[in-house]
Amino acid sequence: MTTDSGPAQPHKLTSKGQATRARILEHAADLIYTEGVHATNNEQLRRVAGVSGSQLNHYFPNKESLVLAVIDWQAGSVLGFHRSEKFDGFDTIDAFREWADFYVAHGRPFEDGCSLGSLASEIVKTDLDVHEQLAATFEQWRDIFRDGLERMQRLGRLDASADPTRLAHALLAAYQGGMLLAQIARDITPLRDALYAAVDHVATFVTSPDA
Amino acid sequence: MTTDSGPAQPHKLTSKGQATRARILEHAADLIYTEGVHATNNEQLRRVAGVSGSQLNHYFPNKESLVLAVIDWQAGSVLGFHRSEKFDGFDTIDAFREWADFYVAHGRPFEDGCSLGSLASEIVKTDLDVHEQLAATFEQWRDIFRDGLERMQRLGRLDASADPTRLAHALLAAYQGGMLLAQIARDITPLRDALYAAVDHVATFVTSPDA
């Protein structure tokens, strides 16, 4: 994506171009989720996004570049949310509780599942060369939690026996698994239970009551 | 599925018929996973399973009956495993540790993910009338854990403050989420971390050292 023959680079686009690109990505993410990567084709995408074949080709010369951009686009939204001031770098147990509260209070997030998790479970099955980027995205997500937990440890808020990587995996798995179970049950309870159990597990390592 | 016009009932089939039905289900599960429910059609299924159209129609008159049978078939395998003597009804913390150990020692289970979870994430998106059966299957899975935890509580092995339903959701979510993360990372670490964190969380409620 760094060569001249690659897809149009978002930062080089006009605002109209960026809007078109975003519209294509939004519909592509939706199609990939509902129809699967294999079944998603240019014709469908052109129709639902209302773009021409040459426009589509300008932004995304092949399926790989499209899927990579969809991953990037969904990742930007999820990672941006986790990096927002709301959670302040996840360096207190309260930030983790707020994170769990957010999904529980959010209403019915399970209706569509986790946008990135659902996309991942679809993409992980394909033979497109996008696994590295998908894996890197989830590593970044995990690292937001891990970095926060490591900072808590440095600040003496978390016991030295805690393993920040392991806890970060447990939190992320609780969210992904809880979201799938909530989607299946059409009820938020499994997600709520999984998130609070994971946060409570982190809390067992908290050393100071005002941490 | 209880009316005469419904699909052929497995228990009424000859052993040859049962083998044909199983072969169709195996290939259908595989197709639904790789291609998605929408993209899976009779023609593909006939070809890969090596059956005629009338055979297919005999066993599964429509897509709904096929998908319901695939859920049943995968559920039988997963629930059967969890009900095996190996785990003895999950009424000790050691049984939960063995359960986690199994997936960690199993080699590379993440290559295909959880057969039932992957199928569920595919089916949950469809508008086929199969959600009730899918939800019931996951409830049965959760109840295997919950029943074990409730028994532990009655036997005084688990503190009265533990919530068996919540812990059961946490365990199942850790498995489903951990499996997805392991698939994405192509590395068992996130699954291992999630499973052991969930089991360790249950262990914090254990009252007796030899429980």
Side-chain angles (χ1 to χ4, degrees):
Chain A
M1 296 191 48
T2 52
T3 62
D4 286 347
S5 59
Q9 297 296 302
H11 61 274
K12 290 185 186 163
L13 297 174
T14 62
S15 58
K16 200 182 157 201
Q18 285 185 4
T20 305
R21 186 175 181 278
R23 193 169 72 246
I24 295 172
L25 286 179
E26 197 179 335
H27 288 287
D30 197 46
L31 275 178
I32 290 172
Y33 174 64
T34 53
E35 305 289 325
V37 176
H38 287 305
T40 297
N41 59 50
N42 278 359
E43 201 184 300
Q44 279 176 304
L45 187 52
R46 285 205 316 264
R47 190 164 34 79
V48 296
V51 294
S52 70
S54 63
Q55 268 180 307
L56 187 56
N57 190 58
H58 171 67
Y59 295 105
F60 309 106
N62 53 42
K63 195 177 253 189
E64 222 149 77
S65 63
L66 175 69
V67 174
L68 284 171
V70 168
I71 296 172
D72 248 7
W73 188 71
Q74 297 275 42
S77 151
V78 170
L79 298 177
F81 171 70
H82 282 77
R83 286 176 181 138
S84 67
E85 283 182 17
K86 184 180 176 66
F87 304 120
D88 209 17
F90 287 100
D91 62 1
T92 63
I93 190 71
D94 282 347
F96 286 103
R97 289 211 191 283
E98 261 190 54
W99 171 75
D101 287 344
F102 172 83
Y103 291 107
V104 174
H106 197 52
R108 303 168 66 80
F110 52 85
E111 284 187 345
D112 292 318
C114 165
S115 55
L116 196 56
S118 300
L119 185 72
S121 69
E122 196 43 63
I123 289 174
V124 83
K125 305 184 271 182
T126 72
D127 46 12
L128 290 175
D129 188 19
V130 298
H131 286 93
E132 225 166 282
Q133 181 156 340
L134 189 65
T137 299
F138 276 82
E139 277 169 26
Q140 287 176 58
W141 192 348
R142 176 204 61 199
D143 288 351
I144 295 173
F145 294 144
R146 187 174 64 178
D147 292 351
L149 293 163
E150 283 177 350
R151 208 156 39 246
M152 283 177 73
Q153 225 166 16
R154 279 198 305 276
L155 294 168
R157 294 174 183 165
L158 201 68
D159 195 81
S161 67
D163 179 337
T165 304
R166 183 174 159 178
L167 292 177
H169 280 147
L171 287 158
L172 191 47
Y175 174 67
Q176 292 296 336
M179 198 58 111
L180 176 65
L181 296 179
Q183 267 188 294
I184 293 167
R186 295 179 166 181
D187 174 20
I188 206 165
T189 310
L191 175 65
R192 188 196 64 198
D193 288 352
L195 288 176
Y196 287 141
V199 174
D200 280 356
H201 184 60
V202 174
T204 61
F205 293 96
V206 166
T207 51
S208 143
D210 47 316
Chain B
M1 294 187 54
T2 50
T3 62
D4 286 347
S5 58
Q9 298 296 303
H11 61 274
K12 289 185 186 163
L13 299 173
T14 62
S15 58
K16 200 183 156 198
Q18 285 185 5
T20 305
R21 187 176 181 276
R23 192 168 75 245
I24 296 172
L25 286 179
E26 196 178 338
H27 288 287
D30 198 48
L31 275 177
I32 290 173
Y33 173 64
T34 53
E35 305 288 326
V37 176
H38 287 307
T40 296
N41 59 49
N42 279 358
E43 199 184 301
Q44 280 175 305
L45 187 51
R46 285 206 315 264
R47 192 164 32 79
V48 296
V51 293
S52 70
S54 63
Q55 269 181 307
L56 186 55
N57 190 57
H58 171 67
Y59 294 105
F60 310 107
N62 54 42
K63 195 178 253 189
E64 222 149 77
S65 64
L66 176 69
V67 173
L68 284 171
V70 168
I71 296 171
D72 247 7
W73 188 71
Q74 298 275 40
S77 151
V78 169
L79 298 177
F81 171 70
H82 282 76
R83 286 177 181 140
S84 68
E85 282 181 19
K86 185 180 176 65
F87 304 119
D88 210 16
F90 287 100
D91 63 1
T92 63
I93 190 71
D94 282 347
F96 286 102
R97 290 212 190 283
E98 261 189 55
W99 170 75
D101 287 344
F102 172 82
Y103 291 107
V104 174
H106 196 54
R108 303 169 64 81
F110 54 85
E111 285 187 343
D112 292 318
C114 166
S115 54
L116 195 57
S118 301
L119 185 73
S121 69
E122 196 42 65
I123 289 176
V124 84
K125 305 184 269 181
T126 71
D127 46 11
L128 290 175
D129 187 19
V130 298
H131 287 93
E132 223 167 285
Q133 181 156 340
L134 190 66
T137 298
F138 277 82
E139 277 169 26
Q140 286 177 57
W141 192 347
R142 176 204 63 198
D143 288 350
I144 294 173
F145 293 145
R146 186 174 65 178
D147 291 353
L149 293 163
E150 283 178 350
R151 209 156 37 246
M152 283 177 75
Q153 226 167 14
R154 279 199 304 277
L155 294 168
R157 293 173 182 166
L158 202 67
D159 195 80
S161 67
D163 180 336
T165 304
R166 182 174 161 178
L167 293 177
H169 280 147
L171 288 158
L172 190 47
Y175 174 67
Q176 292 297 336
M179 197 60 109
L180 176 65
L181 296 178
Q183 266 188 297
I184 293 168
R186 294 180 168 180
D187 174 20
I188 205 164
T189 310
L191 175 65
R192 188 196 63 199
D193 288 354
L195 287 177
Y196 287 141
V199 173
D200 280 356
H201 183 61
V202 174
T204 61
F205 294 97
V206 166
T207 50
S208 142
D210 47 315

